[in-house]
Amino acid sequence: MRTIVPEPLTADAFAPFGDVIEASERAETIPINYGWTKRFNALSDVAVGDGHAILSIFRSKPLTPPVLKIFERHPLGSQAFMPLNGRPFLVAVAPPGEFDPAAVRIFRAEAHQGVNYARGTWHHFLLALEAESDFLVVDRVGPGENLDEVEMAEVDWIAVAP
């Protein structure tokens, strides 16, 4: 089994897989509400094809042991996750196309960061750290099959380093 050490989640490192969602100096900022609020504008583009966007909350438990065996992708729309409990989480991804276990990368998202997986990007299901955690999720609902899953052979399983 291969072990991967999670890398820091940065907009540049994550760009091949989608967007990092965070209030950062890279974002366009617009003062609103008579100057009492700063809007970090259009942090990500929600791809929905011929469907529509929905908001959900997912409650996720830490994976124990932290071994990755299954990846999924959504070919018809993007999927965004933003943590709600002030806890970091892990983001495991692989490029679109044929799933390649050797191409998996793991990022450690800080409590103030979210991600938007680009359409077709392979990703592991939510990987909460520390404790059960809630996430605001924006994704697509509509016609067509929008979920592909792949279960890796045991030889390709990935252990996540602490």
Side-chain angles (χ1 to χ4, degrees):
M1 180 181 335
R2 186 167 63 119
T3 299
I4 297 178
V5 176
E7 55 190 286
L9 180 65
T10 66
D12 291 334
F14 195 72
F17 310 105
D19 306 307
V20 174
I21 301 169
E22 65 181 328
S24 75
E25 68 280 350
R26 294 174 63 130
E28 173 192 12
T29 57
I30 301 169
I32 61 172
N33 299 334
Y34 309 98
W36 291 101
T37 303
K38 183 187 290 187
R39 176 180 176 151
F40 294 86
N41 195 50
L43 297 175
S44 187
D45 183 35
V46 178
V48 294
D50 62 352
H52 60 277
I54 59 170
L55 298 175
S56 305
I57 292 178
F58 289 12
R59 183 164 291 151
S60 182
K61 297 182 236 179
L63 185 64
T64 54
V67 175
L68 310 185
K69 303 175 184 179
I70 298 172
F71 277 74
E72 64 183 44
R73 68 178 173 185
H74 306 286
L76 303 179
S78 61
Q79 189 176 44
F81 295 86
M82 193 71 197
L84 297 176
N85 298 108
R87 295 186 192 105
F89 64 104
L90 296 178
V91 177
V93 291
E98 180 104 13
F99 178 73
D100 178 6
V104 169
R105 291 175 68 183
I106 302 174
F107 297 91
R108 181 185 168 92
E110 297 303 324
H112 68 278
Q113 295 177 305
V115 295
N116 184 42
Y117 297 122
R119 185 185 317 210
T121 293
W122 290 101
H123 58 280
H124 196 275
F125 56 79
L126 274 169
L127 293 166
L129 292 175
E130 300 173 358
E132 186 173 81
S133 299
D134 289 348
F135 295 82
L136 178 67
V137 181
V138 180
D139 60 349
R140 176 200 178 275
V141 66
E145 188 60 43
N146 193 32
L147 175 65
D148 297 326
E149 288 184 323
V150 62
E151 189 170 340
M152 297 188 298
E154 190 171 346
V155 67
D156 292 323
W157 290 0
I158 298 169
V160 180

